[in-house]
Amino acid sequence: MSEQEHCCAPERSTPRPDKIKSNLISRLNRVEGQIRGIRGMVEKDVYCDDILNQIAAAQSALNAVGRMLLEGHMKSCVIDRIQQGDSEVIDELLKTMNKLMR
């Protein structure tokens, strides 16, 4: 398999099954709604602690999306690239995981 045939080719495209894509989009839509709600809270001068709790909930929801994507990435893209002899994917994965864990 050439580099352009595997899931994470240089154009950086990863096809996902419709069910997974739908689930991710649904979760991201909820996060987007949470962010709009937080902005509204700030505009209405809502109590700081209430806003901070909503921020924590939005971060948690976004982290859940990240975990889902990371799991799929590791089970497909990373494995495919390792099987093709591309060990650089490990360094890429480690950098990404470090960013996610900040």
Side-chain angles (χ1 to χ4, degrees):
M1 179 184 288
S2 75
E3 186 166 337
Q4 279 146 0
E5 291 173 331
H6 65 66
C7 69
C8 294
E11 66 272 358
R12 311 295 282 194
S13 175
T14 303
R16 291 177 184 82
D18 289 341
K19 184 176 182 179
I20 291 173
K21 188 184 295 188
S22 176
N23 187 353
L24 289 168
I25 291 170
S26 183
R27 288 171 178 264
L28 287 168
N29 285 338
R30 283 194 295 271
V31 172
E32 185 179 10
Q34 287 176 298
I35 299 302
R36 282 194 305 270
I38 292 166
R39 184 184 60 221
M41 293 172 80
V42 170
E43 290 169 349
K44 294 175 186 172
D45 293 325
V46 171
Y47 185 60
C48 297
D49 192 59
D50 294 337
I51 296 171
L52 291 168
N53 283 318
Q54 288 305 308
I55 289 171
Q59 287 173 327
S60 178
L62 195 54
N63 286 340
V65 171
R67 283 190 301 275
M68 288 177 63
L69 284 167
L70 180 61
E71 179 181 345
H73 181 57
M74 291 174 73
K75 288 182 176 179
S76 61
C77 302
V78 173
I79 288 173
D80 289 348
R81 287 177 63 184
I82 289 171
Q83 289 174 343
Q84 297 305 313
D86 182 1
S87 61
E88 290 177 17
V89 69
I90 298 298
D91 291 331
E92 177 185 279
L93 178 62
L94 290 171
K95 287 178 189 175
T96 298
M97 290 178 70
N98 281 327
K99 289 177 187 176
L100 285 170
M101 296 167 111
R102 286 184 191 160

